[in-house]
């Protein structure tokens, strides 16, 4: 199975462990990821001008299209922008015309599709294959999946169920971990507001973390670098602000899969998570 | 009957309301400013919003409040009310909307987009309203107090220069150059140092090769 791969800017910065673990896990699953050449930033949620946002994603989609392979995207915001760009092009023919006036390279013929990496792993590789590769079942730990916004919403762009997304639930089940009920799985972490409305995003992430803690989870898994930066990177700030203790590791779903597949923690970047994952790893190893 | 007559006189006594420093859409458009002064509204505003990408379905709204009840910002700040923002846009309360903080605190969670029974897609409409706000601010017609457009501008300027994000540059541009916010910069330090230790901060920007295309995108589309 082959896909083109768009790592996104955070893969070179705050989400290095996502990129590392995605590559390691895909290799194990026989999914070849071919990084597209000279990709650009998608504009995240900061490209207020919708046409600029579409143009930035179309440049990447056009590069991927040359190879004829669907484009796997690990970041939910990058995925949202790419899928939204395709929707804009389909709904309004004048958009493609306008883009070609801007730059001749901005042509997308809609012959390939952007796919969230989670979608690729759950729906293309399949849960059965995950189960088959699980050499070290994670039956000792409790895991809650945090989807955030863009994996399920809006349903004309995202791939999972908007009200009760299930793709990571299926993965947790496949690797044999316990899954306590967790009501904040599709709530918003407030990541888009961290630089301008700090208090809002801290409060939004606090609710998610406390719900996970209250559910007795040993770790949270996510599929988005923005969610990860809030729940993992900002966790100690949240503890200080609200005078609470959380200390709950937040892993990318690919890191959890890698542990179940018996891949070395170093290859999964588990030392790069801000909240220490050491205890979790020893629990899994049964030490 | 006597008491209800008294209520009526209270409601129509507009002189009691001070609207001089009204910058927020906090109260209902009617109760906060008194009756809407039709001569101060702009009946074309709704069409202006509709013309922006994302704004076209504005007039399908039938004020059911599903957007407001789905909103995670609303859970924290009860004054934030997407339904009311749409109502005010339809009524043509242009200046009040465009100068309010509220249009800049949407977290883009897409719950309102997903659940709207009329497909108005509030998260898209608010994008259209923000486009109008930035254009009016550029012309000097309104004043934006929120820091969000400044942050978005800093973010986009990194892409314009390098084709990719460059976080240290973003923080310098937004916190230091735009806001002279040393406290903000120090507040970022503990996480920054931690990230640095874990090799998660790129010291130097990496510039892509295809900058001609990026330049065209910014030059030709930011004008529209």
């Amino acid at each position: 199975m082959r896909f083109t791969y768009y790592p996104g800017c955070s893969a070179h910065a705050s989400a290095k462990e996502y990129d590392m673990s995605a590559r390691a896990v895909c290799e194990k699953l026989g999914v070849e990821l071919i990084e597209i050449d000279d990709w650009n930033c998608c504009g995240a949620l900061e490209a207020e001008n919708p046409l600029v946002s579409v143009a930035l994603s179309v440049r990447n989609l056009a590069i991927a299209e040359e190879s004829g392979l669907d484009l796997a995207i690990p970041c939910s915001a990058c995925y949202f922008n790419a899928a939204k760009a395709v929707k804009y092009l389909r709904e309004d023919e004048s958009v493609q015309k306008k883009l070609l006036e801007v730059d001749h390279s901005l042509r997308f013929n809609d012959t390939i599709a952007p796919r969230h990496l989670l979608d690729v792993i759950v729906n293309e590789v399949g849960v059965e294959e995950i189960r088959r590769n699980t050499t070290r079942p994670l039956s000792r730990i409790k895991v809650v999946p945090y989807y955030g916004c863009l994996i399920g919403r809006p349903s004309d762009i995202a791939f999972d169920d908007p009200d009760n997304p299930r793709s990571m639930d299926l993965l947790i089940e496949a690797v044999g971990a316990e899954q306590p009920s967790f009501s904040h799985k599709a709530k918003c972490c407030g990541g888009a507001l961290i630089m301008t409305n700090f208090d809002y995003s801290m409060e939004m992430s606090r609710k998610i973390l406390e719900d996970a803690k209250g559910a007795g989870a040993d770790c949270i898994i996510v599929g988005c670098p923005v969610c990860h930066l809030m729940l993992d990177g900002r966790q100690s700030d949240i503890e200080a602000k609200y005078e609470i203790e959380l200390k709950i590791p937040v892993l990318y779903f690919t890191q959890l899969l890698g542990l179940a597949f018996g891949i070395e923690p170093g290859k999964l970047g588990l030392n790069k998570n801000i909240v220490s994952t050491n205890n979790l790893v020893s629990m899994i190893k049964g030490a | 009957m006597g008491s209800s007559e008294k209520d009526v006189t209270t409601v129509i006594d507009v002189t009691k309301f001070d609207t001089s420093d009204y910058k927020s859409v906090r109260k209902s458009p009617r109760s906060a400013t008194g009756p809407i002064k039709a001569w101060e509204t702009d009946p074309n505003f709704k069409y202006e919003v509709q013309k922006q990408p994302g704004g076209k379905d504005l007039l399908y709204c039938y004020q059911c409040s599903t957007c407001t009840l789905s909103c995670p910002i609303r859970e924290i700040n009860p004054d934030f009310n997407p339904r009311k923002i749409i109502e005010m846009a339809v009524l043509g309360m242009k200046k009040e909307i465009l100068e309010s903080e509220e249009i800049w605190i949407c977290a883009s969670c897409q719950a309102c987009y997903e659940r709207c029974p009329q497909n108005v897609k509030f998260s898209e409409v608010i994008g259209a309203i923000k486009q109008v706000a930035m254009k009016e601010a550029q012309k000097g017609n309104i004043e934006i107090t929120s820091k969000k457009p400044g942050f978005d501008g800093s973010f986009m300027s990194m892409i314009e220069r390098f084709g990719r994000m460059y976080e240290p540059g973003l923080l310098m541009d937004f916190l230091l150059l735009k806001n002279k916010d040393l406290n903000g910069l120090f507040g970022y330090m503990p996480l920054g140092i931690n990230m640095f230790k874990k090799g998660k901060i790129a010291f130097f920007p990496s510039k892509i090769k295809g900058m001609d295309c990026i330049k065209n995108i910014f030059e030709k589309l930011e004008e529209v």
Side-chain angles (χ1 to χ4, degrees):
Chain A
M1 209 178 286
R2 296 168 80 214
F3 284 85
T4 43
Y5 179 61
Y6 172 77
C9 301
S10 54
H12 290 224
S14 71
K16 265 191 181 155
E17 64 269 45
Y18 195 10
D19 185 53
M20 290 167 76
S21 55
R23 288 175 194 270
V25 162
C26 283
E27 194 188 327
K28 184 87 177 173
L29 293 169
V31 178
E32 193 185 340
L33 296 178
I34 303 152
E35 182 169 337
I36 59 169
D37 187 37
D38 205 39
W39 51 268
N40 57 271
C41 174
C42 73
L45 298 169
E46 278 71 19
E48 294 284 5
N49 180 333
L51 275 178
V52 170
S53 168
V54 170
L56 289 171
S57 278
V58 165
R59 183 175 175 277
N60 294 321
L61 285 163
I63 298 171
E65 196 169 37
E66 285 168 25
S67 66
L69 299 169
D70 281 357
L71 181 62
I73 305 175
C75 167
S76 296
C78 303
Y79 165 74
F80 172 73
N81 282 331
K84 193 164 147 179
V86 174
K87 184 173 134 75
Y88 262 77
L89 292 176
R90 282 183 190 161
E91 286 179 355
D92 183 354
E93 281 173 17
S94 74
V95 174
Q96 178 63 83
K97 247 182 246 158
K98 225 175 274 170
L99 291 186
L100 285 171
E101 283 163 24
V102 170
D103 196 278
H104 63 89
S105 69
L106 296 175
R107 177 189 291 283
F108 181 62
N109 299 314
D110 209 359
T111 61
I112 61 151
R115 304 283 300 268
H116 196 295
L117 183 69
L118 178 60
D119 180 24
V120 167
I121 288 184
V122 175
N123 298 314
E124 294 302 325
V125 176
V127 174
E128 215 27 69
E129 199 60 14
I130 303 296
R131 209 167 276 140
R132 217 176 51 79
N133 277 281
T134 299
T135 51
R136 189 199 282 148
L138 307 181
S139 53
R140 286 191 184 87
I141 61 164
K142 292 183 191 149
V143 183
V144 289
Y146 174 68
Y147 295 85
C149 305
L150 304 174
I151 287 173
R153 289 189 301 267
S155 43
D156 56 354
I157 292 174
F159 67 93
D160 209 331
D161 186 294
D163 296 309
N164 185 18
R166 293 266 303 145
S167 45
M168 283 194 280
D169 294 43
L170 299 175
L171 295 180
I172 295 172
E173 206 180 300
V175 297
E178 212 182 303
Q179 191 178 157
S181 102
F182 174 52
S183 63
H184 278 71
K185 65 202 270 191
K187 285 279 192 171
C188 176
C189 73
L193 299 175
I194 185 69
M195 295 305 287
T196 50
N197 297 83
F198 184 78
D199 291 340
Y200 286 162
S201 36
M202 296 295 267
E203 173 66 5
M204 290 157 95
S205 286
R206 176 197 66 78
K207 290 184 191 173
I208 296 159
L209 287 165
E210 285 209 303
D211 187 30
K213 188 81 180 173
D218 297 309
C219 73
I220 303 172
I221 57 168
V222 298
C224 171
V226 183
C227 305
H228 193 263
L229 194 57
M230 284 306 300
L231 301 185
D232 183 52
R234 290 287 178 181
Q235 194 177 122
S236 63
D237 292 338
I238 290 171
E239 289 178 316
K241 182 172 174 12
Y242 295 97
E243 296 177 347
I244 50 176
E245 197 184 308
L246 295 162
K247 306 248 170 328
I248 180 163
V250 186
L251 273 58
Y252 288 102
F253 72 94
T254 42
Q255 292 183 298
L256 188 83
L257 292 182
L259 284 169
F261 296 170
I263 299 172
E264 264 312 291
K267 269 186 89 177
L268 301 169
L270 278 156
N271 54 344
K272 292 192 181 294
N273 298 51
I274 302 286
V275 176
S276 169
T277 58
N278 291 343
N279 279 345
L280 186 80
V281 173
S282 355
M283 271 170 88
I284 289 169
K285 287 183 174 166
Chain B
M1 281 305 283
S3 68
S4 69
E5 269 167 37
K6 201 176 158 199
D7 285 347
V8 171
T9 46
T10 321
V11 170
I12 58 171
D13 185 8
V14 291
T15 56
K16 281 193 176 169
F17 297 97
D18 176 16
T19 59
S20 55
D21 61 354
Y22 183 65
K23 284 242 164 159
S24 153
V25 294
R26 227 156 262 164
K27 301 277 160 44
S28 144
R30 285 171 293 271
S31 69
T33 54
I36 295 154
K37 302 179 189 75
W39 58 93
E40 283 179 7
T41 61
D42 178 350
N44 283 321
F45 180 57
K46 51 186 177 291
Y47 305 123
E48 217 176 314
V49 173
Q50 281 190 303
K51 260 188 248 155
Q52 305 298 322
K56 72 175 168 28
D57 297 322
L58 170 73
L59 294 179
Y60 288 121
C61 174
Y62 55 34
Q63 294 284 298
C64 73
S65 265
T66 303
C67 48
T68 300
L69 294 170
S70 303
C71 178
I73 299 294
R74 160 80 172 192
E75 275 178 33
I76 301 171
N77 175 1
D79 292 336
F80 183 63
N81 191 335
R83 177 196 63 75
K84 212 163 278 175
I85 292 176
I86 300 233
E87 183 185 14
M88 292 174 74
V90 174
L91 289 170
M93 300 171 77
K94 180 173 178 173
K95 201 170 160 70
E96 287 91 336
I97 292 191
L98 296 185
E99 288 196 335
S100 74
E101 267 306 295
E102 275 87 344
I103 62 170
W104 299 101
I105 59 177
C106 165
S108 305
C109 81
Q110 315 297 329
C112 50
Y113 179 133
E114 176 60 34
R115 294 178 186 162
C116 176
Q118 285 287 88
N119 263 328
V120 173
K121 303 186 280 285
F122 177 79
S123 52
E124 297 279 289
V125 171
I126 199 76
I129 292 176
K130 287 191 267 191
Q131 286 298 297
V132 180
M134 287 199 280
K135 280 173 200 167
E136 292 294 314
Q138 256 169 17
K139 287 188 224 155
N141 295 341
I142 60 153
E143 206 181 311
I144 297 177
T145 48
S146 169
K147 285 181 182 166
K148 186 74 165 77
F151 177 69
D152 295 338
S154 296
F155 195 101
M156 295 310 283
S157 76
M158 293 300 125
I159 306 179
E160 192 173 2
R161 272 156 72 185
F162 308 116
R164 285 187 191 169
M165 190 32 54
Y166 174 51
E167 285 86 356
L170 170 62
L171 290 179
M172 285 298 165
D173 191 71
F174 176 66
L175 291 176
L176 218 53
L177 295 181
K178 273 204 182 109
N179 289 302
K180 317 259 177 300
D181 182 4
L182 273 178
N183 279 342
L185 202 59
F186 284 129
Y188 205 80
M189 278 309 193
L191 178 59
I193 290 168
N194 225 333
M195 302 246 285
F196 172 69
K197 276 195 219 150
K198 300 202 175 245
K200 292 167 100 166
I201 288 182
F203 255 120
F204 301 104
S206 62
K207 198 173 190 164
I208 68 166
K209 285 173 271 166
M211 284 306 291
D212 291 349
C213 178
I214 302 292
K215 210 168 259 159
N216 281 336
I217 291 174
F218 279 87
E219 274 172 18
K220 296 183 189 169
L221 284 177
E222 284 294 14
E223 300 302 303
V224 184

